[in-house]
Amino acid sequence: MTPTPTPFDTLLVANRGEIACRVMRTARRLGLKTVAVYSDADATARHVREADEAVRLGPAAARESYLNIEAVIDAAQRTGTGAIHPGYGFLSENGTFVKALEQAGITFVGPPASAIAAMGDKSAAKARMANAGVPLVPGYHGDDQNDALLRAEADKIGYPVMLKASAGGGGKGMRVVESGEGFKAALDGCRRESKAAFGDDRMLIEKYLVQPRHVEVQVFCDRYGQGVYLFERDCSVQRRHQKVIEEAPAPGMTPELRAAMGDAAVRAAKEIGYVGAGTVEFLLDADGSFYFMEMNTRLQVEHPVTEMITGQDLVEWQLRVAMGEPLPCRQDELTITGHSFEARLYAEDPEQDFLPATGLLARFELDTEGAGLAADQVRLDSGVESGDRVSMHYDPMLAKLIVHGVDRDAALATLNRALAALDVQGVVTNRAFLQRLANHPGFKNVELDTRFIERNEATLFAPRRYTTQDYASAALIGLHQLAQECESDSPWDRHDGFRLNAPYTIRITLCDPSAAQGSERDSLVVVEGKRTNLDAQWQLTIGEHTLSASLQPLAGDAVAVTLDGHRRRLQAYRDGNVVVMAEPSGETRLLWQRIDAIDHGHQETEATLTAPMHGTVVALLVEPGATVEKGMPLMVMEAMKMEHTMTAPTHGSVATFHFQAGDTVSQGDVLLDFAPSE
C-alpha cells in the first residue's frame, strides 16, 4: 500500500550532474522551489549553481555523500523539503532509502519500496512476470544454486547461455557461456564479481539470443490502478552492456507488436503495484518474439527520446503522480510524432579502451544557429558548462544530445549535424566515436543488435584515411591561429617565415596524432604555403597538389575553409598541437607542427624544447649548464634530408640534453631542458 501523498512546494534532487539539472528545470516550471545536494567535489557544479538552495552532503566519495541516506534526509529536513526526486543511479532504486523517507514524512518521487524490492531480485521478478503472463527467455531462476544443478540446467537450455547475477545490474556478474566445458570457470568468475559488487553471489541462467535487439517500453502508473505505455525505445547499440545511442520509436515495429509489448509492460508494472515512471526491458528476436529481461524502477537516462516523440514531459508526470494526481493522459490519447535519437557524450578516450578522462572544460558549447538547427530539433541535457572541471569521482557522462526529425533518416541527419556543432575543448570525449557510429552503414540500415559495436569494431576503429582536403584545411586552420597569436606587427619579431624580398613561406608537417608515438599509421606530409595578399589568401602545396586557399572565421569556433573555390563549414580548434575539425561526416584530428628552422614561437614560454619532427641529432652546440642568449644555436637535427638548427627561445641556460649526436628522436620528444633567466 503506497503512502497517501501530501502537497509539497519544495523539491530536493538527490543526484548530481545532467539529471539533477534536468529535473530542476521542470520543477521550476511548475513553480516548485529546488534544492540541490553536493559533495566536496561538486561544490561549484552546475546543478548547485542552478538550484534555489544547496546543501553539502560530505566528501567526494559517493558512499560518504550521494549514497549517505542520513545526510540526504537531513538536508531535506533542513530546507523544509516535501519531496525528493532521486534521478537515476545512486539511491534511485534503494528500497531502504524509500522506507526512510516514508518514516520521515517525505514524499519519494518514484515507486513504493515494495515494487523496487520486487524487481530488485531478478529471480523473484521472473517468477512474478511469469504469473502476469509476460513472456520470459527460457532459463533457470531457482533458489537451488548447486554447481552441478546449474550446469545441468544450462545443458538443458542449450548453449550459448547467459549467466547473470540475480541481484545485479549494469553488466556486472554477467558472462556468455558458449559450451559446457567453459561453464564452471564462467560461473566462478560471475560469482566473484557479483559478490564484490552486490554482496550476493546467486546466479540465474538464460538462453543467450545470438542477435537480439534491446527494446524497452516506457510505462507509467498512478495510485488509482491506471497504467499506460508511452511506446518503446531501441537501445541495442551498447558497449559492455552500457547503452551508447538510443532511439524512439524502435525501427521496424508493427502496430501489433508495439501493442503486444506495451500491454505486456503494463501488466508487468501492475503485477507489482507500481506507481510512477518505469521501464520494462525486452529482448526482441529476429522472428518478432520478445522476452522480458528486467524492469528499471526509475526514470531512465534515455527518457528524452520518448519525450521528443510524444510531446510529454515525463518528469512533470512523475511530480504530478507523486502529488496524488491521476495520469495526465489515457492510452488512446498518446501518439507518436516523428523519430528521435539520443547520444551519450562521455569524458572518455575511445582510442585508449574508453579510459575515463578528467580536466578543465575550456569550452562546452552547442552551436545550433551556425549549424542551422531549429530549437525543436535538438536538445542538450548537460550537467556541465564551459569552465567546469570534470572530476574523477563519478560517472564520466557529460551530457546527452537529443534530436528529433520527421522520420528516422531526417533525425539521423540532424544527429550528425548536431554532433559536429558540439564544441568541447579541454577534455577528451567520445564525440568522434559517436559520429562514427551514427555514420556507420550498418547503423543507417538498421542492422541492429546488442553486439553491434563488437561486430563492427574493425570498421569503427579503422585507421583514418586522410584526404588532401583534410591536410589543407588543417594547415590553414593552424596558420590562422598562428597569425592570431602573433603579438607584434614588426617583421623582425615575427615567427612566420617572413623574409624581405622573399615569398611568405612556411613548412608544416601534418600527421595522425598517434604518429608522435611512432605509430605505424604515421602519414607525414609537408605543406608549403605562400600568402598572396593581406586577406590571408594562400597557395598550399601538398605533395603534387597545389590549391588556392582561404579561411573565414565564423561565430564561436566555426570556420569556413575555401579550397579551389570549394567552401566547407567546420567546427575547428587546436588542442595543443593537434588541429581538430568536425563536420556532419565525422571528426578529423591532425598533429600540426612547423619545421622551418626559425620557428620557436611556441617555445618561448616553455622550459623544454621538443623535436618538431622525426629525425636524427647531428650535433650539440653548447655544453650543459652553458649560459646562452635568445636565438643562440643549441643543437642541430637532420630530417627529410635537411638540417634544422634549434635555438634558445630566450635568455637563460641549458640545464640538460636528453639526446646525443647520432641519436634518433621522434616528433614531440623533449630534446633538452631549458632554464629561462629571471
Side-chain angles (χ1 to χ4, degrees):
M1 189 71 181
T2 59
T4 302
T6 56
F8 57 87
D9 58 12
T10 301
L11 179 73
L12 183 147
V13 183
N15 217 296
R16 63 178 301 279
E18 169 271 323
I19 187 58
C21 295
R22 186 266 170 274
V23 170
M24 289 191 292
R25 184 169 66 244
T26 291
R28 287 194 297 269
R29 182 170 59 78
L30 296 179
L32 300 176
K33 185 171 74 171
T34 58
V35 178
V37 289
Y38 63 92
S39 70
D40 289 344
D42 282 341
T44 60
R46 180 176 180 179
H47 75 280
V48 175
R49 299 194 299 267
E50 292 188 354
D52 295 312
E53 297 183 39
V55 179
R56 176 185 179 273
L57 294 177
R63 65 180 178 277
E64 299 178 60
S65 52
Y66 296 105
L67 292 174
N68 186 333
I69 293 175
E70 291 184 0
V72 172
I73 293 177
D74 178 67
Q77 292 172 333
R78 288 170 59 185
T79 55
T81 291
I84 290 182
H85 194 299
Y88 49 73
F90 292 135
L91 297 170
S92 62
E93 295 179 281
N94 188 310
T96 301
F97 177 54
V98 178
K99 290 178 181 177
L101 292 182
E102 292 176 2
Q103 294 174 357
I106 299 171
T107 298
F108 178 68
V109 183
S114 58
I116 293 175
M119 286 300 178
D121 185 313
K122 285 185 170 56
S123 293
K126 300 281 186 182
R128 297 286 294 270
M129 294 304 98
N131 183 62
V134 179
L136 300 177
V137 176
Y140 174 75
H141 315 116
D143 293 328
D144 191 336
Q145 294 287 301
N146 178 271
D147 286 12
L149 174 69
L150 293 178
R151 167 65 190 272
E153 290 291 340
D155 292 344
K156 184 190 306 181
I157 295 165
Y159 297 95
V161 298
M162 173 72 85
L163 278 171
K164 285 186 179 181
S166 181
K172 296 181 176 65
M174 295 175 64
R175 298 280 195 287
V176 176
V177 186
E178 301 288 352
S179 66
E181 288 72 22
F183 184 83
K184 182 62 166 64
L187 177 63
D188 291 343
C190 282
R191 280 177 166 163
R192 286 192 300 270
E193 193 171 299
S194 179
K195 186 71 174 178
F198 313 112
D200 187 332
D201 64 0
R202 291 174 300 140
M203 306 303 299
L204 56 84
I205 308 172
E206 292 179 346
K207 177 66 178 176
Y208 181 69
L209 305 179
V210 177
Q211 285 191 313
R213 286 166 60 186
H214 180 141
V215 176
E216 60 188 31
V217 177
Q218 177 71 61
V219 294
F220 234 104
C221 298
D222 61 21
R223 300 170 186 272
Y224 311 107
Q226 301 177 88
V228 299
Y229 61 90
L230 289 90
F231 313 112
E232 78 288 338
R233 303 181 285 257
D234 193 308
C235 307
S236 299
V237 180
Q238 303 177 8
R239 183 184 65 80
R240 298 171 187 165
H241 307 291
Q242 296 291 323
K243 301 162 189 173
V244 181
I245 294 181
E246 301 99 343
E247 59 182 298
M253 290 287 286
T254 64
E256 295 77 17
L257 180 56
R258 175 172 292 125
M261 293 183 76
D263 290 342
V266 173
R267 289 199 306 274
K270 289 184 175 181
E271 169 67 21
I272 60 172
Y274 202 79
V275 174
T279 298
V280 182
E281 301 191 342
F282 295 101
L283 290 176
L284 176 62
D285 211 353
D287 63 1
S289 302
F290 62 92
Y291 306 98
F292 173 83
M293 185 165 53
E294 63 182 355
M295 182 176 185
N296 290 299
T297 54
R298 53 170 169 78
L299 193 68
Q300 290 281 88
V301 177
E302 58 272 20
H303 76 273
V305 292
T306 296
E307 295 181 325
M308 285 290 218
I309 65 167
T310 62
Q312 305 295 325
D313 184 329
L314 298 190
V315 173
E316 179 177 346
W317 279 43
Q318 284 186 297
L319 295 174
R320 292 195 180 282
V321 167
M323 292 176 181
E325 297 182 18
L327 291 177
C329 293
R330 300 190 310 270
Q331 188 67 59
D332 60 4
E333 295 175 315
L334 294 167
T335 58
I336 295 175
T337 301
H339 202 93
S340 179
F341 285 97
E342 173 182 290
R344 302 188 187 192
L345 184 74
Y346 284 93
E348 63 184 12
D349 188 352
E351 308 302 325
Q352 301 294 325
D353 196 27
F354 294 90
L355 185 71
T358 60
L360 183 68
L361 276 170
R363 187 175 178 85
F364 189 85
E365 303 288 345
L366 178 62
D367 182 13
T368 53
E369 183 177 353
L373 298 169
D376 60 349
Q377 285 184 292
V378 63
R379 162 178 162 185
L380 184 66
D381 285 8
S382 76
V384 294
E385 295 176 314
S386 298
D388 284 349
R389 184 166 292 279
V390 179
S391 167
M392 59 176 282
H393 298 287
Y394 311 111
D395 184 278
M397 189 170 75
L398 300 177
K400 302 179 312 196
L401 184 62
I402 310 105
V403 300
H404 185 264
V406 294
D407 56 26
R408 189 176 191 270
D409 289 344
L412 189 55
T414 299
L415 177 63
N416 284 317
R417 292 183 67 83
L419 284 168
L422 192 58
D423 189 359
V424 185
Q425 299 181 36
V427 176
V428 176
T429 73
N430 67 331
R431 193 270 300 271
F433 177 69
L434 293 172
Q435 286 187 282
R436 294 199 295 271
L437 274 174
N439 280 290
H440 194 280
F443 188 79
K444 291 181 178 179
N445 295 330
V446 200
E447 298 167 5
L448 305 176
D449 63 73
T450 54
R451 299 180 64 191
F452 179 87
I453 292 177
E454 182 181 344
R455 285 192 297 104
N456 294 286
E457 184 173 5
T459 51
L460 287 171
F461 290 94
R464 175 64 190 255
R465 295 181 181 273
Y466 300 101
T467 66
T468 299
Q469 288 71 30
D470 291 333
Y471 290 126
S473 298
L476 204 61
I477 290 163
L479 291 170
H480 171 69
Q481 296 200 356
L482 181 69
Q484 288 184 315
E485 294 166 4
C486 184
E487 297 179 358
S488 171
D489 292 330
S490 168
W492 312 112
D493 291 337
R494 286 162 60 170
H495 305 279
D496 55 10
F498 173 83
R499 291 287 190 280
L500 287 174
N501 303 316
Y504 186 101
T505 300
I506 294 177
R507 295 173 61 79
I508 302 164
T509 60
L510 291 164
C511 62
D512 188 307
S514 63
Q517 283 76 48
S519 166
E520 294 180 359
R521 292 189 287 165
D522 187 350
S523 180
L524 188 65
V525 66
V526 176
V527 178
E528 293 185 354
K530 179 169 66 177
R531 191 168 67 181
T532 60
N533 58 45
L534 296 179
D535 295 325
Q537 296 290 325
W538 292 82
Q539 294 293 323
L540 302 181
T541 302
I542 305 172
E544 298 178 354
H545 301 277
T546 299
L547 306 91
S548 62
S550 65
L551 180 146
Q552 177 189 4
L554 303 175
D557 284 325
V559 297
V561 172
T562 302
L563 304 173
D564 283 349
H566 182 186
R567 186 179 186 272
R568 297 164 66 201
R569 185 185 185 281
L570 303 168
Q571 202 77 31
Y573 62 91
R574 279 182 65 175
D575 180 6
N577 284 337
V578 176
V579 173
V580 182
M581 303 177 292
E583 54 187 329
S585 61
E587 180 183 281
T588 302
R589 287 175 171 262
L590 281 165
L591 184 67
W592 192 100
Q593 292 278 341
R594 290 187 56 185
I595 60 171
D596 34 281
I598 66 165
D599 174 31
H600 302 299
H602 68 287
Q603 299 167 345
E604 292 192 355
T605 59
E606 300 292 333
T608 60
L609 291 184
T610 57
M613 77 295 284
H614 303 300
T616 302
V617 176
V618 175
L620 307 182
L621 304 180
V622 298
E623 294 292 331
T627 299
V628 297
E629 296 182 355
K630 180 179 178 180
M632 181 180 292
L634 304 180
M635 64 187 301
V636 179
M637 282 185 60
E638 182 184 83
M640 301 174 68
K641 299 181 181 180
M642 295 177 60
E643 286 194 353
H644 305 271
T645 301
M646 311 299 293
T647 61
T650 186
H651 301 302
S653 62
V654 177
T656 309
F657 283 104
H658 294 290
F659 296 90
Q660 300 299 316
D663 288 348
T664 299
V665 298
S666 297
Q667 192 170 30
D669 282 349
V670 176
L671 300 174
L672 59 89
D673 294 330
F674 188 85
S677 300
E678 295 295 333

